[in-house]
Amino acid sequence: MKISESFCTFYVVLCLLNIGLQLAGVFGHSDGPAPGGGVDASGGVKLTCDPKHVTIDNGIIQLTLASPIGRIVGLKYHGADNLLDSHEPKLWGAYFDVSYNVIPPRSGAGGLHRVEATKYTVITEKPDIVEVSFSAEWNPSLTDSVVPLNFDIRYIVRKGDSGFYTYVAVERLKDWPDMDMSLHVFVFRPNKQLFNYMAVSDEIQLVMPTEADRANGVTLAPREAVLMTNPVDPAFKGQVDDKYEYIQEQKDSKLKGWISDTSKIGFWLIQPSTEYMNGGPLKYDLSCHNGPTCVMVFTGEHVYGDDVDMVFKKGEGWNKVFGPFFTYVNSEQDRAGLWKDAKSQLEKETQLWPYCFIQHKDYTPAAQRGSVVGQLLVDDKYLSPTPKEACKAMVGLAAPGTTNEAWQSEAKGYNFWTEADEKGNFCIKNVRPGDYNLYGFVPGIVGSLRHPQLITVKPGNEINLGQVMFKPPRNGPTVWELGIPNRSAKEFFIPDPDPKALNKFWLDKPDQKFRQWGLWDRYPVYWPKEDVVFEVGRSNYSKDWCFAHFYRSDGKVWNPTTWQIIFDLPEVCTTGSYTIHIALAAAELTNTLVYVNNVNARREHYDTGTWGDDNAIARHGDHGFYRFFSGSLPSNLFVKGKNTIYLKQARSQTYMFAGVMYDYIRLEAPPPSSTAQPKEL
Ligand SMILES: *[C@@H]1O[C@H](CO)[C@@H](O)[C@H](O)[C@H]1NC(C)=O
Ligand SMILES: *[C@@H]1O[C@H](CO)[C@@H](O)[C@H](O)[C@H]1NC(C)=O
């Protein structure tokens, strides 16, 4: 813990040092002159305007903004032609979209709305830095098709930077109409004549199909997926392209972009913090995809569904700053060099966070932030007699909630996550002042933690929570368990895709197999008549347990399916009830019914309820929104010898993407009587 504390302190000093250097005028973080051009060392940043455009030029990049709407229409780099697309009137450049609904719904109101500002303001104009603002204010006389929010889109260009910063401050006043919002996204359209190679992680880097490759193909379901039957590049023939194959978990999506093989230029979105994003560190959302497109999804529900939307009622005011993030351009010898340099730029931006040069009143600078440190321990007597260190736990602060998973559906506030070290020590730094709960989950341990104490972070504070105990769900000794409790269904059997409709890119990446299109249609290939039957001690979950519990089509309807887990009990323990823990990695339109030994019982023995709006199946995730259930099963349901637990997805569907992904299932025997010590496993 000492180490993390001193690390926190060191970090604040670093940022103060940055401010100092900046004031002294020697601050900059360019990589030095890039090939093919020279940094204008003397001139600084220049701001020019004409009636329709604002242009900011620092000698490295030149950013052109449509005025007063605030859309990015041009990005030049060392004089290279526009790096952003300028061919399609609706989709050119870069722009900010919001998806919303008014409550109650009215026809013509809501939907996907492209935000256009009405007012242009210069915030800062100095040789070192220019910041401009494009804003719009809502008022009740505006039509239904304008989202009821005030917006302020800001752009910052600094001397010496090979890129620019963007952020959006939004605000809603108290007496504005009821509404919900599902999406806030900044969309970039890199120039399709330049950019051909996409890179969103160390592993996921590839030459992407173009619009021409997708044209004349067969549109599949979901409709974003296309089977390329007549591509320009014959290598894509017979392959499927779908933007959702490239979704990323937010914790892994801090750098993404495109490379131009012809110009040896890279275009990158770099995000040092995800504090303003919804859904937590594992939330999947879009990254980059065909187009070329690169998106900064501030809040989104593409994979997690409407559980992560924001809902506002009259009387509720709100404001939030999305960003800032950095758009970086570079130029190197080859793809590997471009990616490596972009990664080192992410490191630099992370060092600079929280940025010291942001002017908006709702943005909190470093000196006004606090930190929270502690050590997380797992207290499960059946795993270890004394509490054990929560190795590599994810620990986060989010708005106070009433459930352990409240942070997952939190979208209005800010949240701050970190990964603990091997010993469970965590240091959550750069926290905005406010009230929080501490939440956490540990790889390999089912369930999650919500620390009961309300945590109030004040400017400059370091709060030391000391040892924090996480008591995971546990009622008695394990009879059997299935899977790895880590919020993913990846360890289970994943069907091979249809050889006539796959994406070859994933074929040599077994860890990413779940990203293939159409796996919902592959279940009956492996389980043609009977559904999954798993025999404890004999079956292997990597081969015999499908990663998603699908329904089964009869050509018209998708019918319920029932899976079985068969196990032996040498004795039935009658001192209490057995417990079944079911952790779901995802759920879409489902209702899981549990039966013990009699699937035709008049009533199910446990019912999880009816829920789920995830798109993890349709959008190729190995998980969506996490849910946890514990059911009590009376011991008289069990018999000595062979027992069967049935898991039934009980609702008929007209929808092929329905189903659940199990993360982990555990059956526990009744707890030993209070005098007995728990038996160690
Ligand atoms: C969960 O386990 C799988 C399989 O071992 C692994 O690939 C995945 O990264 C893990 N996920 C998390 C969130 O720990
Ligand atoms: C289960 O199957 C996987 C995949 O074939 C294999 O790697 C693993 O060793 C098997 N586990 C056991 C316990 O047999």
Side-chain angles (χ1 to χ4, degrees):
M1 190 152 53
K2 279 276 173 298
I3 291 170
S4 37
E5 271 176 44
S6 54
F7 180 66
C8 260
T9 316
F10 170 72
Y11 187 80
V12 171
V13 171
L14 198 77
C15 197
L16 291 175
L17 194 68
N18 274 343
I19 299 174
L21 289 174
Q22 196 189 13
L23 291 176
V26 295
F27 179 70
H29 62 104
S30 126
D31 253 343
V39 178
D40 177 2
S42 56
V45 192
K46 290 195 194 73
L47 174 66
T48 50
C49 301
D50 67 34
K52 288 194 165 160
H53 300 98
V54 171
T55 299
I56 316 174
D57 193 327
N58 71 354
I60 305 169
I61 61 130
Q62 188 193 75
L63 180 67
T64 303
L65 308 157
S67 182
I69 65 170
R71 180 173 182 155
I72 304 175
V73 293
L75 176 62
K76 284 190 180 174
Y77 171 56
H78 286 306
D81 200 1
N82 199 347
L83 300 191
L84 294 172
D85 199 83
S86 53
H87 297 91
E88 292 197 43
K90 274 178 92 172
L91 298 177
W92 67 339
Y95 45 85
F96 182 53
D97 281 352
V98 177
S99 188
Y100 74 107
N101 291 298
V102 294
I103 305 172
R106 285 191 300 278
S107 89
L112 188 66
H113 175 66
R114 186 139 310 153
V115 173
E116 300 205 330
T118 51
K119 185 178 164 202
Y120 162 62
T121 317
V122 178
I123 304 294
T124 310
E125 186 178 3
K126 293 185 189 153
D128 278 0
I129 181 167
V130 167
E131 175 165 357
V132 294
S133 152
F134 297 88
S135 60
E137 291 197 353
W138 190 82
N139 71 65
S141 72
L142 286 169
T143 65
D144 263 353
S145 64
V146 179
V147 57
L149 284 176
N150 291 338
F151 292 94
D152 189 349
I153 304 175
R154 299 284 187 99
Y155 301 101
I156 297 173
V157 179
R158 302 193 309 161
K159 182 175 164 179
D161 281 352
S162 189
F164 63 94
Y165 295 90
T166 305
Y167 65 100
V168 184
V170 296
E171 177 186 41
R172 167 198 155 85
L173 302 190
K174 267 206 327 238
D175 53 349
W176 287 2
D178 292 3
M179 65 168 194
D180 68 43
M181 283 186 282
S182 54
L183 180 70
H184 297 89
V185 60
F186 219 105
V187 182
F188 287 79
R189 301 278 179 181
N191 188 337
K192 63 182 83 160
Q193 278 155 9
L194 287 174
F195 294 98
N196 60 318
Y197 185 81
M198 186 179 95
V200 302
S201 74
D202 285 334
E203 294 82 34
I204 305 180
Q205 303 197 1
L206 68 162
V207 171
M208 285 292 282
T210 61
E211 279 167 11
D213 291 318
R214 285 169 55 97
N216 312 314
V218 180
T219 301
L220 305 168
R223 65 191 155 83
E224 293 86 357
V226 166
L227 176 63
M228 295 175 281
T229 47
N230 197 12
V232 176
D233 179 348
F236 291 120
K237 195 172 168 73
Q239 294 200 57
V240 171
D241 176 59
D242 179 2
K243 63 181 181 177
Y244 292 105
E245 288 185 19
Y246 308 102
I247 54 173
Q248 287 290 291
E249 289 178 353
Q250 277 166 192
K251 69 175 171 51
D252 299 331
S253 192
K254 293 178 176 177
L255 166 66
K256 56 204 166 195
W258 287 82
I259 284 170
S260 165
D261 280 335
T262 49
S263 314
K264 309 264 190 282
I265 288 176
F267 172 92
W268 310 102
L269 299 185
I270 292 181
Q271 190 191 10
S273 167
T274 58
E275 65 183 26
Y276 42 84
M277 301 176 95
N278 64 337
L282 301 186
K283 200 200 81 178
Y284 271 122
D285 224 306
L286 290 168
S287 57
C288 296
H289 53 267
N290 61 61
T293 309
C294 206
V295 293
M296 187 58 73
V297 180
F298 299 132
T299 77
E301 54 146 37
H302 292 109
V303 182
Y304 272 33
D306 59 14
D307 287 301
V308 299
D309 289 355
M310 301 177 185
V311 181
F312 291 100
K313 292 269 156 59
K314 248 201 170 91
E316 189 177 1
W318 174 72
N319 68 63
K320 192 162 180 176
V321 176
F322 294 120
F325 62 92
F326 189 53
T327 304
Y328 180 58
V329 287
N330 61 358
S331 133
E332 295 286 338
Q333 290 309 314
D334 56 16
R335 293 170 180 170
L338 286 160
W339 176 248
K340 185 160 171 259
D341 173 67
K343 275 175 80 166
S344 81
Q345 190 65 33
L346 168 61
E347 287 298 309
K348 289 178 197 166
E349 297 300 325
T350 306
Q351 296 287 313
L352 292 176
W353 184 267
Y355 295 133
C356 309
F357 47 86
I358 305 300
Q359 296 296 330
H360 199 278
K361 67 176 172 42
D362 294 335
Y363 180 79
T364 310
Q368 282 170 39
R369 296 182 178 225
S371 57
V372 175
V373 303
Q375 184 190 22
L376 188 64
L377 299 176
V378 179
D379 181 14
D380 180 342
K381 301 268 180 310
Y382 292 94
L383 292 180
S384 119
T386 54
K388 97 183 176 156
E389 292 152 351
C391 174
K392 299 278 174 194
M394 292 300 295
V395 187
L397 295 169
T402 53
T403 67
N404 294 357
E405 293 290 333
W407 55 273
Q408 263 199 121
S409 40
E410 216 308 290
K412 293 174 189 170
Y414 297 84
N415 62 94
F416 304 86
W417 287 87
T418 193
E419 189 182 71
D421 67 11
E422 266 90 11
K423 299 204 171 304
N425 295 311
F426 60 88
C427 167
I428 308 174
K429 46 191 200 251
N430 300 320
V431 183
R432 297 170 55 113
D435 287 343
Y436 299 95
N437 272 164
L438 180 88
Y439 300 91
F441 54 94
V442 187
I445 307 286
V446 73
S448 49
L449 159 90
R450 182 173 59 97
H451 192 45
Q453 184 185 328
L454 181 74
I455 296 170
T456 302
V457 174
K458 298 203 176 107
N461 261 12
E462 180 178 296
I463 298 175
N464 189 337
L465 295 174
Q467 290 191 331
V468 176
M469 208 60 76
F470 166 35
K471 271 181 96 68
R474 172 67 78 176
N475 287 334
T478 301
V479 179
W480 50 256
E481 60 185 343
L482 218 167
I484 304 168
N486 77 351
R487 296 174 180 245
S488 150
K490 207 195 250 188
E491 70 271 28
F492 297 125
F493 175 78
I494 298 177
D496 285 337
D498 181 344
K500 293 198 290 299
L502 52 69
N503 182 342
K504 284 186 188 157
F505 179 68
W506 307 117
L507 289 181
D508 62 350
K509 297 175 183 60
D511 198 40
Q512 307 290 326
K513 198 176 174 186
F514 61 88
R515 293 177 182 273
Q516 291 279 10
W517 176 87
L519 300 183
W520 49 85
D521 277 336
R522 305 294 291 166
Y523 174 67
V525 175
Y526 294 84
W527 284 274
K529 291 204 175 68
E530 305 294 315
D531 289 309
V532 168
V533 178
F534 188 88
E535 283 188 63
V536 174
R538 203 167 293 163
S539 304
N540 176 339
Y541 64 64
S542 329
K543 291 193 261 192
D544 305 316
W545 188 263
C546 190
F547 83 114
H549 189 157
F550 297 108
Y551 292 74
R552 189 184 287 280
S553 171
D554 61 12
K556 290 195 202 99
V557 177
W558 294 71
N559 291 302
T561 49
T562 303
W563 290 13
Q564 300 174 43
I565 302 165
I566 299 174
F567 58 100
D568 261 335
L569 278 184
E571 292 296 338
V572 177
C573 176
T574 55
T575 55
S577 288
Y578 284 71
T579 303
I580 187 161
H581 296 296
I582 304 176
L584 294 184
E588 165 74 331
L589 294 170
T590 60
N591 177 197
T592 306
L593 302 182
V594 178
Y595 297 85
V596 182
N597 288 328
N598 180 7
V599 73
N600 299 314
R602 260 216 332 261
R603 273 209 67 167
E604 69 284 350
H605 300 121
Y606 177 65
D607 176 357
T608 59
T610 299
W611 27 251
D613 182 47
D614 299 16
N615 291 310
I617 290 176
R619 291 178 170 168
H620 328 303
D622 61 330
H623 71 82
F625 193 88
Y626 179 82
R627 291 178 171 82
F628 178 75
F629 301 91
S630 286
S632 176
L633 302 170
S635 60
N636 63 9
L637 297 173
F638 295 85
V639 295
K640 184 173 168 168
K642 181 183 160 187
N643 289 264
T644 306
I645 283 191
Y646 299 89
L647 298 171
K648 180 174 183 179
Q649 292 311 325
R651 296 164 82 192
S652 288
Q653 297 299 344
T654 50
Y655 188 58
M656 66 186 100
F657 307 126
V660 306
M661 292 183 194
Y662 300 104
D663 166 37
Y664 174 75
I665 307 175
R666 183 165 77 211
L667 183 72
E668 289 170 5
S673 61
S674 55
T675 51
Q677 284 303 307
K679 196 168 64 184
E680 270 181 56
L681 297 174

